[in-house]
Amino acid sequence: MQFKFRTTFILTIMLFLLTVGLIVLPVIARDSALPPALIAAQTTPKSLFEQGTYAYQSGQFTAAATAFQQAAQIYRTQGSTLKLAATLSNLTLAYQQLGLWPNAQKSIERSLELLNFSSSQPKSEAVKALAQALEIQGGLDLAMGRTDRAIDTWQQSEKLYVQLQDQAGLLRNQLNQAKAFQVKGLYRRALTMLEKLEQSLKPQPDSVTKVIALRSLGDTLQLTGDLAQSHRVLQTSLQIAQRLQSPEHISAAQFSLGNTARTSSDQGLAISFYQQAAMTAPTLLARLQAQINHFSLLKEPQQRPTAIALLNQIKNQLVRLPSSRASAYAHINLAQNTIAHLRNWQLAQTDQALSAALSQSITELLNTAMQQTEQLQDQSTRAYVVGTLGYFLEQQGEWRAAQRLTEQALLIAETLQAPESAYRWQWQRGRILKAQGSLVAANDAYQSAIATLRSLRHNLAAINRDGQFDFRDSVEPVYREAVTILFAIQETNPNEDNLEQARTLIDQLQLAEVDDFFREACLNERPVVLDQLVDQDNPTTAIIYPIVLEQQLQVIVKIPNQPLRNYAVTQSKNTTEKTLQELRSRIVQSSAEKVTQRLSQQIYNWLIQPIETDLLRSGVNTLVFVLDGEFRNLPMAALYDGQQYLIEKYAVALNIGLQLLPPRALAQGMSLMAIAAGLTEPSLEFQAKGYASLPEINTEFTLMQQAGVKTKILLDQAFDRKSLVQAVQSLPFNILHLATHGKFSSQAEDTYILAADGAIYVNELDNLLRDRPWLDPIELLVLSACQTATGDTRATLGLAGVAIRAGARSTLASLWQVDDRATALLMGEFYRELSTSKVSKAEALRRAQVALLKQNFPEEESSYRRPRYWAAYVLLGNWL
C-alpha cells in the first residue's frame, strides 16, 4: 500500500480561501493586514480585525480566532452592528479551519441575524455583507456534509449578488455551487454551470479575476477527469496571467498544468511544469509545493540521486517557513513521499546508511509538523501528523507503537467528524492488527473503513485519480485486503456468512469502480439479489465469482438452492495474471490454437472443474460470471475442458456484480423492434488510427431483417448524432444495434463509438439515448464491431459504462475486433434464435457461437471454428 496525500488538501484550502473569502469591512483594505512585529501593539477593534485577517491568511487560525473574538466583543459594546456581523462571519471561517463546528455554526447564525436586520435598510454595504455571510454559511454546510443546504444557501447569496451587480461575487458563488454539485454527484449539472461560466468570461478583458476563475475551472475539470479540456483552460489562464505579468498566477497555472499532466500519466511534462512553477513562484510556500510535487514523481531507482538532491534542497528551505497549517502540510506531504520512495527503492536491503538517513529525515519532518500543530492548536492537521507517523512505524514493523499512534489519529478524526481522514486510520489499524494476527479485530477495522468510504461515495467520485483518493492505491486495496481477511477467517472457522460478506464487498468494489470510471456517483438503483433469481425464478443458472488476491485465487459459487461455497487455487496474483494475459494475447492469433486450448484448460480447471459434477447434478445450463481483474478481458465461453469448449455445454453471461435493472426475458411476448445504425467507412482520421472498412454491415442488417426483427436502418452518412437522437425519440424500439467501430477503456474519455460525424463518447450517450417519450429501458444494446483497449485490465468498465449510459438491461459486445463476415453471420444467427426459438439472450448467443464453431454455414468457404472468431462476443447484464 502506498500512502498518497500529496498536495490535494493544501490546494483544497487554497481554493476555499478563493471561493469563500474573508469579509473585509468597508473601512479596511485587504492589504492593510499588519506585519507581525506591530500586531502586539494594536488594541483597537479595527487593528484586532486586521490582526485576525493577517493571522488567517498566514494559516494561524487560533490566533485569528482570538483576534476576531476580541474585535467582536468591542464592536458589540460599541453597537457597531455591521462591523460586528462581518467580524463574526470571519470568526466562523477561523472556527471552521480549527474543526470547531458548533462554535462556527453559532457564530455564523448570530452574524446572519444581525445582517438580516441591517440589510432591510437600503445600504449596499449591508446587503453585500449578507451575501458574503451566506457564502460562508454555505461553505460551512458543505464542510459538514449538508450539501443540499449549502446549495440552497448559495442560491440565496446569488440573488443578492445579482441585485448588487457584483460580478466578482457572482463568479465566486457559481464556482462554489459547481463544487457542491460535484460533491452531490450531479456531475453533468456542475459541468454545465462551469461551461456557462467560461462562456461568460470569454468576452471580458484580461483580469486577475478571469485568471483565477479559469484556473479554478481547469482544476475542476482535472479533478473530474476531463484532462484535455483541463489542459486547454489552464493554458488560457496561464496566457492571460503572462500578459498581466503576474508571477503569482503564472506559477499557480503552471502548477495546475503539472497536476493535469501528472493525472494524464505524462510525468515528463508534469515535472517540466512543476519546475517552471517553482522558478516563477513569488512565495516560498508556492515554490515548495511545486518542488514537493516534483519530488513525489521521482519514484524509480535510477532517479534516486536526483530525488535525494531535491529532498535536501526542499528541507533546507522548509526551515524558513513560518508556522502555519500550510507549512505543517508541506512537512507532512514531504514526509509521506519520502516514505513512499523508501519503500520503492528498498534501501534497507541495499544501502542501510542512506535508509537510516532518510528515516531520520522523515522523523524530523513529522516532529516539526507536530510542533507546529501544537502551536497552532490545529487538531485536524495533527491527526494527519500522528497518523502518518503511525504509518511510518507500520512500515518499520513496530506494531504496538504504530497501533497506538493510529488509534490516536482515528480518535481525533472521529471527534472532528472528518471521515476523509478517519477511513485512512481505520484501514491502517486493520493492517496493523492483521500483521499481529488479530484477524477478527482486523476485520472489524476494515469493515469500519469500508463503511466510511461508502459514506464518502459522492466525494470520492469527484476527486482525481492522482490526488487524495487515488482509487487504485487508496480505495481498491481496502476492499481486497478486507476480502483476504474474510477468507483467512473462513479457513479456520467456515461460515457461509463470511462468503456472503466477501461477495458483497466485491459487489461494492465493482460499484465503486464504475463510479470512479464516470467520476460521479451515478448508480443509485438498489441491486436485485441474484441469489433470489437463481433459487426461485431461474433455477438453472449458477453464479461464479473468481476473486484475485495477492497470494491466491478464490472462487465463490452459487448453485441453485444450495448454500454458497468456495474453493481456492493457491498461487500468486502475478502467476494468475500472467496466465490470463498470455491467453488473451494468444486467443486472437490464428496459429495459436493448441497453446490457446492448453491455457484455456488451465483456467477451466481453476473455475469449473471443482464444481463440474454439482453443475450437472443440479441441471444448470447457464453460467453467470462476476469477473475480477484480468479475468474481465477474457471470454469465459472459450474455456476448454480437454474435449469441449464451455460454450458447447453452457450459455454464458457476465455481470458487474449488480443487477441494475429488474430482469425480464426479451423473447417472452415481445416483438423485436430495432434501431440499427452502422458505419461501413470510418473517416480518414479514424482510418489513420487503424479502423478498417466494415462492408459486411449491410449483410448484418439484412440477416437481422430476415430473422424477423422489425428494423429502422441508419447507415453511413445517415448515422450521425442528430439522426440517432431523432430515431430514438420518435420510434418505438427495444433493441439498439450499433454496428460500428469503437473502443472500451478504463478511462471514460477514451471510451467511444464512431458515427459519421465523429466519435460519440460514453458520457454523451445518456444525452443521446435517455431522452425518450417512454421510460422503459433499452432491452438489448448491441455493439458489434467494438473492442477493449489492449493491455487495459479495467477496459470492460468502458463496456459496462456504455451499457449504463444507454440505460440498457443487456449489452452484447465484442472484446476484440472480429472478422467482418464472421460478425455478420453470428449476429444473423443470434437474432434468428432469439426471434424464432424464443430462448434467453444467453442461450441465443450460445447457439450462434456454436454455429460458427461447428461450421454450420456450408456455403461459407472460410473456417470460423477457432475461438478468435466466435469467442469475442460477451453478454453483459440481464441474461434472460
Side-chain angles (χ1 to χ4, degrees):
M1 171 266 184
Q2 180 178 347
F3 196 113
K4 286 199 174 184
F5 183 82
R6 301 192 182 130
T7 61
T8 304
F9 197 93
I10 297 173
L11 290 174
T12 301
I13 292 172
M14 294 170 66
L15 182 60
F16 181 81
L17 288 172
L18 163 68
T19 56
V20 184
L22 289 166
I23 293 180
V24 181
L25 294 179
V27 294
I28 301 175
R30 182 174 290 273
D31 59 1
S32 64
L34 301 178
L38 299 179
I39 286 179
Q42 305 298 316
T43 58
T44 66
K46 173 183 174 181
S47 63
L48 287 167
F49 189 94
E50 291 173 337
Q51 291 175 38
T53 301
Y54 181 90
Y56 186 92
Q57 293 173 338
S58 302
Q60 301 174 44
F61 302 116
T62 300
T66 300
F68 286 138
Q69 286 169 342
Q70 293 173 357
Q73 186 174 356
I74 297 173
Y75 283 135
R76 187 178 293 110
T77 302
Q78 293 177 348
S80 302
T81 303
L82 181 58
K83 294 177 181 179
L84 172 59
T87 306
L88 290 172
S89 293
N90 285 355
L91 179 58
T92 299
L93 290 173
Y95 282 147
Q96 183 174 332
Q97 295 287 8
L98 293 169
L100 300 175
W101 307 110
N103 293 20
Q105 187 62 55
K106 183 177 179 180
S107 180
I108 195 62
E109 286 176 354
R110 180 55 182 153
S111 175
L112 288 169
E113 287 175 7
L114 294 168
L115 289 168
N116 278 314
F117 174 77
S118 298
S119 62
S120 62
Q121 306 169 27
K123 293 182 178 180
S124 61
E125 294 87 353
V127 176
K128 184 172 183 177
L130 176 59
Q132 292 175 320
L134 286 169
E135 270 192 72
I136 292 172
Q137 173 69 74
L140 181 62
D141 288 334
L142 188 66
M144 296 180 71
R146 302 185 301 232
T147 311
D148 288 331
R149 180 170 164 179
I151 293 171
D152 290 341
T153 303
W154 278 328
Q155 287 174 345
Q156 293 177 45
S157 63
E158 178 185 6
K159 295 176 182 177
L160 296 177
Y161 285 128
V162 171
Q163 175 186 333
L164 292 166
Q165 298 183 345
D166 184 344
Q167 293 301 315
L170 192 59
L171 170 64
R172 194 169 57 235
N173 179 281
Q174 295 295 298
L175 289 170
N176 282 328
Q177 287 193 52
K179 181 166 59 177
F181 286 134
Q182 289 172 9
V183 169
K184 192 173 171 58
L186 299 175
Y187 177 77
R188 286 171 294 165
R189 187 167 179 181
L191 277 186
T192 298
M193 177 174 285
L194 289 169
E195 287 165 356
K196 287 181 179 178
L197 188 61
E198 182 191 13
Q199 292 301 315
S200 69
L201 286 168
K202 278 185 177 179
Q204 295 184 16
D206 291 350
S207 66
V208 169
T209 298
K210 188 173 184 178
V211 170
I212 292 172
L214 287 170
R215 188 172 72 245
S216 298
L217 173 57
D219 288 340
T220 303
L221 288 164
Q222 182 254 326
L223 292 175
T224 51
D226 194 343
L227 303 181
Q229 188 78 339
S230 170
H231 181 85
R232 182 189 65 78
V233 171
L234 290 171
Q235 281 285 5
T236 303
S237 178
L238 173 61
Q239 291 164 4
I240 297 173
Q242 289 170 333
R243 289 197 293 269
L244 294 173
Q245 298 182 352
S246 170
E248 173 188 356
H249 296 296
I250 292 171
S251 177
Q254 291 166 335
F255 184 84
S256 292
L257 281 162
N259 290 339
T260 295
R262 177 188 198 138
T263 309
S264 303
S265 299
D266 191 340
Q267 295 196 355
L269 182 61
I271 287 174
S272 175
F273 276 124
Y274 290 144
Q275 289 173 327
Q276 293 174 47
M279 292 177 60
T280 312
T283 67
L284 177 59
L285 178 60
R287 179 164 71 248
L288 286 169
Q289 288 171 345
Q291 289 177 328
I292 292 171
N293 268 25
H294 178 188
F295 172 73
S296 71
L297 290 175
L298 303 175
K299 303 174 184 178
E300 302 303 323
Q302 63 268 25
Q303 296 173 309
R304 193 172 72 193
T306 304
I308 292 170
L310 183 56
L311 172 64
N312 291 329
Q313 182 183 351
I314 295 170
K315 285 170 55 184
N316 290 336
Q317 296 176 90
L318 273 175
V319 297
R320 293 162 45 199
L321 275 182
S323 293
S324 67
R325 171 178 273 195
S327 173
Y329 273 117
H331 283 80
I332 298 168
N333 198 4
L334 184 59
Q336 289 172 345
N337 282 295
T338 306
I339 294 170
H341 290 346
L342 195 57
R343 282 170 50 86
N344 291 337
W345 297 337
Q346 298 182 337
L347 291 173
Q349 304 170 17
T350 59
D351 191 336
Q352 294 187 356
L354 180 56
S355 177
L358 291 175
S359 296
Q360 180 64 28
S361 293
I362 292 165
T363 302
E364 291 173 355
L365 288 165
L366 292 176
N367 284 339
T368 300
M370 183 76 76
Q371 293 168 6
Q372 291 188 0
T373 60
E374 290 174 353
Q375 178 184 348
L376 298 169
Q377 299 180 35
D378 186 345
Q379 290 299 302
S380 176
T381 309
R382 180 181 174 85
Y384 274 98
V385 181
V386 174
T388 303
L389 186 55
Y391 172 62
F392 180 50
L393 293 177
E394 177 195 353
Q395 302 306 303
Q396 306 299 309
E398 298 181 28
W399 308 119
R400 295 199 175 194
Q403 182 177 343
R404 176 177 54 81
L405 289 168
T406 300
E407 289 174 349
Q408 286 181 18
L410 178 57
L411 179 62
I412 296 171
E414 290 178 339
T415 301
L416 296 177
Q417 299 178 8
E420 72 286 348
S421 168
Y423 106 91
R424 294 181 177 277
W425 319 131
Q426 290 162 337
W427 176 20
Q428 189 163 293
R429 182 171 181 270
R431 295 195 308 271
I432 294 168
L433 289 168
K434 178 189 175 186
Q436 297 177 86
S438 302
L439 293 182
V440 175
N443 180 50
D444 290 342
Y446 270 94
Q447 298 307 318
S448 296
I450 288 168
T452 304
L453 277 174
R454 293 185 68 194
S455 75
L456 283 168
R457 177 183 168 197
H458 292 296
N459 302 63
L460 289 175
I463 298 178
N464 87 72
R465 292 176 170 82
D466 214 7
Q468 201 172 353
F469 289 97
D470 182 293
F471 187 88
R472 293 196 185 187
D473 288 334
S474 299
V475 176
E476 183 175 351
V478 186
Y479 287 89
R480 295 200 179 278
E481 291 167 17
V483 170
T484 301
I485 291 174
L486 285 167
F487 281 118
I489 294 173
Q490 178 73 3
E491 288 181 9
T492 57
N493 183 25
N495 189 316
E496 189 179 5
D497 289 343
N498 294 329
L499 300 180
E500 177 58 42
Q501 195 172 11
R503 187 175 64 161
T504 299
L505 288 177
I506 292 299
D507 284 353
Q508 292 173 357
L509 172 60
Q510 296 206 0
L511 172 61
E513 286 184 301
V514 175
D515 283 349
D516 182 63
F517 173 83
F518 284 122
R519 315 311 297 158
E520 63 174 319
C522 59
L523 305 179
N524 297 310
E525 296 87 347
R526 290 194 174 189
V528 176
V529 179
L530 296 184
D531 289 4
Q532 180 180 342
L533 299 176
V534 169
D535 288 338
Q536 298 177 21
D537 303 325
N538 197 228
T540 57
T541 299
I543 307 173
I544 302 174
Y545 297 76
I547 302 171
V548 181
L549 303 175
E550 286 296 329
Q551 300 303 323
Q552 60 183 197
L553 169 65
Q554 283 281 353
V555 185
I556 299 177
V557 178
K558 172 60 184 176
I559 295 176
N561 299 303
Q562 292 185 23
L564 289 177
R565 58 176 290 189
N566 75 297
Y567 42 93
V569 179
T570 304
Q571 63 188 21
S572 69
K573 177 182 178 182
N574 287 340
T575 300
T576 300
E577 290 182 343
K578 183 178 179 181
T579 303
L580 298 173
Q581 289 166 357
E582 185 178 1
L583 176 56
R584 179 62 172 80
S585 66
R586 295 282 189 175
I587 201 169
V588 297
Q589 299 174 12
S590 299
S591 59
E593 186 173 15
K594 294 297 182 184
V595 178
T596 298
Q597 288 181 341
R598 175 178 59 80
L599 294 169
S600 295
Q601 187 170 0
Q602 185 174 348
I603 298 169
Y604 183 96
N605 291 339
W606 295 347
L607 303 186
I608 308 300
Q609 191 273 332
I611 56 169
E612 198 161 17
T613 301
D614 286 343
L615 293 175
L616 290 171
R617 186 183 302 118
S618 301
V620 168
N621 59 27
T622 301
L623 300 179
V624 176
F625 291 89
V626 182
L627 298 178
D628 184 32
E630 292 279 358
F631 279 101
R632 293 168 174 161
N633 287 345
L634 279 177
M636 295 295 101
L639 299 188
Y640 190 66
D641 69 359
Q643 295 181 331
Q644 290 181 301
Y645 289 104
L646 189 65
I647 201 66
E648 297 181 72
K649 301 187 289 186
Y650 300 98
V652 175
L654 306 181
N655 202 284
I656 62 169
L658 300 165
Q659 189 67 44
L660 298 177
L661 297 169
R664 181 169 65 178
L666 177 59
Q668 295 177 2
M670 188 182 300
S671 298
L672 301 185
M673 298 177 291
I675 295 174
L679 187 66
T680 62
E681 289 290 339
S683 67
L684 294 177
E685 173 190 354
F686 285 96
Q687 288 182 32
K689 295 180 180 180
Y691 291 115
S693 300
L694 299 170
E696 291 291 338
I697 287 176
N698 291 286
T699 304
E700 188 173 328
F701 289 173
T702 298
L703 291 174
M704 282 180 63
Q705 292 174 317
Q706 290 176 354
V709 181
K710 185 177 180 181
T711 308
K712 169 63 177 178
I713 295 177
L714 305 173
L715 189 62
D716 291 333
Q717 294 306 309
F719 170 31
D720 58 16
R721 286 173 174 80
K722 182 178 180 181
S723 299
L724 182 61
V725 169
Q726 287 177 343
V728 165
Q729 292 180 349
S730 62
L731 300 174
F733 70 99
N734 46 32
I735 297 172
L736 179 61
H737 187 111
L738 301 175
T740 179
H741 284 296
K743 185 174 77 169
F744 309 131
S745 166
S746 61
Q747 307 284 331
E749 58 269 24
D750 291 328
T751 297
Y752 56 83
I753 60 171
L754 297 186
D757 55 347
I760 301 176
Y761 289 87
V762 63
N763 283 322
E764 299 177 71
L765 277 177
D766 55 348
N767 293 326
L768 294 178
L769 302 178
R770 285 184 179 268
D771 187 13
R772 302 194 296 275
W774 50 91
L775 298 178
D776 288 345
I778 297 171
E779 293 292 337
L780 176 63
L781 171 67
V782 179
L783 302 159
S784 71
C786 298
Q787 60 185 322
T788 54
T790 304
D792 189 338
T793 61
R794 299 204 307 167
T796 47
L797 284 176
L799 170 56
V802 172
I804 291 162
R805 285 303 195 198
R809 292 185 194 272
S810 310
T811 300
L812 175 60
S814 54
L815 296 178
W816 58 83
Q817 189 171 334
V818 186
D819 177 87
D820 194 24
R821 179 66 180 175
T823 295
L825 294 173
L826 183 138
M827 290 298 167
E829 192 68 12
F830 169 74
Y831 282 113
R832 189 183 68 79
E833 292 287 351
L834 198 61
S835 178
T836 62
S837 300
K838 302 299 182 182
V839 295
S840 70
K841 285 171 275 192
E843 177 61 19
L845 176 60
R846 187 193 77 81
R847 295 183 183 186
Q849 289 176 307
V850 171
L852 282 182
L853 170 63
K854 298 292 187 181
Q855 287 296 103
N856 289 351
F857 303 97
E859 70 281 2
E860 294 294 319
E861 296 180 2
S862 300
S863 171
Y864 302 117
R865 64 181 180 82
R866 296 182 188 275
R868 67 184 297 260
Y869 293 107
W870 52 262
Y873 302 96
V874 295
L875 182 69
L876 177 71
N878 173 23
W879 63 91
L880 297 180

